[in-house]
Amino acid sequence: MIKKLKILGIILGTCLALYVAWYVYRFIFVEDISMVPKEEYISKSISPDKAYTIRFYRANGGATVDFAMLGIMENKDGEKRRMYWEYPCREIKEVKWTKDTVTINGTKIKVWSQVYDFREGIYEAE
């Protein structure tokens, strides 16, 4: 009976370690911000011409890491794109729109054509 409990403990411990390793890997190495969970809706910002809307979500990393902020842009046709990921970030302090760009907390991004990821900086959207 004790041998079976030890084997079960080893299996469960291995599964837990693999689960934690996968989430650490996704957070540090996976460059696609589509993997970022959107958890708590914070606010939205609409462009002056009403062509684009950005909705901001705060992701809670748990007790060991800080909050991250995710911005999802939607055009007037209903297409959505994850375009902003800041870590650590607890709140969106400013959003300024111009004709071709949006500035979020001091980061200037071209509307619909660029993505900001705190690990990589600004890059062209796919």
Side-chain angles (χ1 to χ4, degrees):
M1 180 68 169
I2 292 183
K3 187 175 180 180
K4 287 181 181 180
L5 287 176
K6 284 182 181 180
I7 292 172
L8 181 63
I10 290 171
I11 291 172
L12 290 176
T14 303
C15 289
L16 179 63
L18 288 173
Y19 179 79
V20 169
W22 170 245
Y23 272 89
V24 168
Y25 170 78
R26 277 187 16 180
F27 184 75
I28 295 173
F29 298 110
V30 175
E31 294 183 20
D32 185 9
I33 67 172
S34 67
M35 300 292 279
V36 180
K38 56 180 188 179
E39 294 181 2
E40 177 187 358
Y41 173 77
I42 299 298
S43 65
K44 72 177 178 178
S45 178
I46 301 172
S47 64
D49 62 358
K50 308 230 184 316
Y52 300 98
T53 301
I54 302 175
R55 288 183 173 78
F56 294 101
Y57 299 88
R58 183 168 42 210
N60 183 353
T64 59
V65 295
D66 208 348
F67 290 99
M69 192 64 67
L70 176 67
I72 299 177
M73 183 177 282
E74 180 177 353
N75 66 15
K76 58 185 169 187
D77 296 330
E79 294 178 81
K80 294 180 181 179
R81 174 178 293 166
R82 293 180 184 222
M83 52 81 59
Y84 181 81
W85 184 22
E86 179 67 43
Y87 174 83
C89 183
R90 291 182 172 268
E91 63 185 55
I92 297 298
K93 296 177 183 163
E94 70 170 337
V95 178
K96 293 181 184 176
W97 292 87
T98 63
K99 182 180 178 187
D100 298 339
T101 63
V102 60
T103 303
I104 304 168
N105 287 353
T107 303
K108 190 174 185 178
I109 307 165
K110 289 183 185 175
V111 173
W112 203 255
S113 65
Q114 289 184 329
V115 175
Y116 172 72
D117 182 332
F118 74 96
R119 300 168 299 175
E120 300 294 321
I122 297 172
Y123 58 91
E124 295 301 314
E126 296 172 3

